Amino acid sequence: MMMEKETYTPEETYELGKTLGQQAVQGQIYCLDGDLGVGKTVFTQGFAAGLGIEGPVNSPTFTIVQQYEEGRLPLYHFDVYRIGDISEMDEIGYEDCFYGEGVCLIEWSQLIPEILPDHVIRIRIEKDLDRGFDYRKITVEGV
């Protein structure tokens, strides 16, 4: 299944993330892709809120993965933008997250296709400045 949603404010992007977080179930892997500055962190903050995570959620750009345990399901938030080699994913124990008790959300997932399971939910966020500075087209596939 595929869904396309247009948002016109960061708050709308956050709310879409929150809705998907509320619907998330154990074992799902969300691949979140889009250019720098497109709103992946805002979306992720909403997703975390949908899981009941109340603390601050920031992109784990330098740590690769951040774990949040306080929601109804654990959230494993990856940012693989700075990954130099796929072996770094082994070093951080990605399999425990991918096949664990929680939900994974992976920013820049297109950089690690060889380790992604066959069944993931793909989310693509795109800007179109002709439609406004805060306009986003968000495509969700595989829900």
Side-chain angles (χ1 to χ4, degrees):
M1 181 182 131
M2 185 175 98
M3 169 184 75
E4 250 182 38
K5 173 87 171 149
E6 294 178 323
T7 65
Y8 295 89
T9 66
E11 293 80 15
E12 289 178 344
T13 299
Y14 178 96
E15 286 300 319
L16 178 59
K18 185 175 181 180
T19 298
L20 289 176
Q22 290 167 338
Q23 298 169 358
V25 297
Q26 179 181 332
Q28 287 180 320
I29 297 176
Y30 292 80
C31 295
L32 181 58
D33 296 305
D35 294 335
L36 285 170
V38 81
K40 292 184 297 292
T41 300
V42 169
F43 179 92
T44 301
Q45 289 167 339
F47 190 90
L51 287 170
I53 297 166
E54 296 177 7
V57 173
N58 297 302
S59 190
T61 302
F62 295 101
T63 58
I64 301 174
V65 65
Q66 180 73 353
Q67 297 182 28
Y68 302 93
E69 303 285 341
E70 68 270 19
R72 67 177 175 82
L73 292 169
L75 172 62
Y76 307 105
H77 178 203
F78 290 83
D79 182 333
V80 298
Y81 182 73
R82 296 193 188 285
I83 212 110
D85 185 272
I86 204 70
S87 65
E88 291 178 55
M89 292 297 288
D90 289 326
E91 291 170 17
I92 62 169
Y94 81 91
E95 288 180 328
D96 292 339
C97 299
F98 280 23
Y99 306 104
E101 305 280 316
V103 178
C104 291
L105 194 146
I106 308 166
E107 295 186 41
W108 301 99
S109 68
Q110 76 270 22
L111 300 175
I112 57 165
E114 60 269 34
I115 63 169
L116 293 174
D118 291 337
H119 302 290
V120 298
I121 297 166
R122 298 200 174 275
I123 302 167
R124 176 101 186 133
I125 304 177
E126 300 170 276
K127 290 195 268 191
D128 182 349
L129 293 177
D130 292 338
R131 309 263 326 255
F133 181 77
D134 289 324
Y135 170 85
R136 301 295 185 265
K137 180 172 97 174
I138 304 172
T139 306
V140 181
E141 294 181 75
V143 180

